[in-house]
Amino acid sequence: DGSHRRNYPSGGALYPIETYIISSAVPDSGPAAFHYNPTDHALEKLWDLPSETSVSDFARVGESHKLIFSSLLVFTSVWKRSAAKYGDLAFLHSLLEAGHMSENILLVATALGLKTRPMAGLNDDLIVRLLDLDTEDEQPVHSITLCH
């Protein structure tokens, strides 16, 4: 919903980026997937993930030793939100918006003393399956790891 004011710029105020969290650090819960609802400013639990889900599963082959985190923030782009107005520039606008959002998260995490790391070496196919994304309309574009 592009009608809700947000704390980052978006081309044409179309807000193509969606935010998901995959976490194994929720108290009294196993691994689960969440979606951030900006209109309600609320984190919505989508579903539990298989108990054997490990954060290292999200790494590309050979990268799992680098993944020491408890949660993964995933930014996806819903391309059609920007494409109707900006055509092929929707891709660039989505990446810029995800970058602005990422910067805000990294700044807040630093102020709170949390360990974070933008992460590109991830298994996008697994993320798509776990979040049940329709890749014709929505695809992962950026992610940040968080340590608890």
Side-chain angles (χ1 to χ4, degrees), residues 37-117:
N37 179 331
T39 302
D40 296 335
H41 189 54
L43 198 58
E44 306 166 327
K45 184 174 184 179
L46 297 176
W47 43 75
D48 291 322
L49 298 176
S51 60
E52 67 274 6
T53 302
S54 167
V55 291
S56 63
D57 294 341
F58 297 101
R60 290 186 187 148
V61 174
E63 297 287 316
S64 62
H65 68 283
K66 297 178 183 176
L67 293 181
I68 303 170
F69 62 92
S70 56
S71 299
L72 178 67
L73 272 73
V74 177
F75 298 118
T76 65
S77 180
V78 179
W79 304 111
K80 65 184 176 184
R81 289 184 193 158
S82 293
K85 183 172 184 175
Y86 293 110
D88 290 342
L89 283 176
F91 178 74
L92 176 62
H93 288 197
S94 291
L95 296 181
L96 288 169
E97 183 171 323
H100 292 303
M101 294 172 70
S102 176
E103 179 183 18
N104 285 347
I105 289 169
L106 296 173
L107 289 169
V108 169
T110 298
L112 294 173
L114 300 173
K115 295 180 182 178
T116 59
R117 177 178 165 197

